[in-house]
Amino acid sequence: RRCSQKFLDQNLKLPRLTASLDLVVAQLASVEDEASTLHGLYGRVKTRAGQADPNAAVPVDRVLGNLATVIGDIGAASGHYRAAIALCERAGYRPQLAMTLFDQATLHAGNQDPNDLVAANQDFNKSLALAHDLGMKPLIERILRRRQILTA
């Protein structure tokens, strides 16, 4: 991550590589919950909403949804996840669809609204079915853990 950030700090004129690295840094920062880094990244990455990164094979909106979730903008996160799901369905990106459904379900599961909990269960079920079809064992394990917490 430091190497990617160092490259980005150089302000080189390599837009495709810079855009892909922005996504990588954004994904890592959202996992590491680095709020100070996230706001700037969100703004840079948001210019590519509605697209899939050709180098990283990831819907940009999924990354934006993860960033918005960590930043605390739940409305934006939900919109980004919906956009990523639509893109994945249109393009046939089944592994990314499974992971985005999981992310969206996790977002809904964090709310106490009964409608959100129903939506979370539906998304977990869709994600689990896809993950089983694709043999995505680590995702299957994550989904089962989350669903167990949700029903406890």
Side-chain angles (χ1 to χ4, degrees):
R1 181 174 140 359
R2 270 186 259 125
C3 291
S4 297
Q5 189 61 51
K6 195 172 191 175
F7 176 84
L8 291 171
D9 292 342
Q10 298 293 317
N11 293 320
L12 299 175
K13 303 282 189 246
L14 301 168
R16 291 180 86 178
L17 183 56
T18 300
S20 292
L21 283 175
D22 270 342
L23 280 178
V24 170
V25 171
Q27 287 176 307
L28 292 172
S30 66
V31 169
E32 295 172 8
D33 195 19
E34 296 179 11
S36 62
T37 306
L38 297 178
H39 287 285
L41 283 170
Y42 183 83
R44 287 200 312 264
V45 174
K46 190 173 180 182
T47 62
R48 298 180 39 232
Q51 303 173 20
D53 184 86
N55 298 313
V58 62
V60 173
D61 278 295
R62 178 171 177 244
V63 176
L64 287 167
N66 292 342
L67 290 172
T69 298
V70 175
I71 290 169
D73 191 344
I74 303 307
S78 184
H80 288 303
Y81 288 141
R82 283 193 307 272
I85 288 167
L87 174 70
C88 290
E89 289 174 338
R90 279 193 316 272
Y93 298 156
R94 294 178 70 214
Q96 284 295 327
L97 177 58
M99 291 185 286
T100 306
L101 284 165
F102 172 78
D103 292 339
Q104 180 174 264
T106 301
L107 177 71
H108 287 308
N111 297 330
Q112 296 305 314
D113 183 319
N115 292 330
D116 282 339
L117 297 177
V118 169
N121 266 325
Q122 290 171 345
D123 288 339
F124 279 135
N125 289 338
K126 289 177 192 174
S127 180
L128 184 60
L130 273 170
H132 271 293
D133 286 349
L134 298 169
M136 300 172 72
K137 290 183 182 183
L139 181 59
I140 292 168
E141 292 168 4
R142 290 175 66 199
I143 294 166
L144 294 176
R145 277 195 306 271
R146 286 289 183 157
R147 280 195 345 184
Q148 187 176 29
I149 292 168
L150 187 62
T151 58

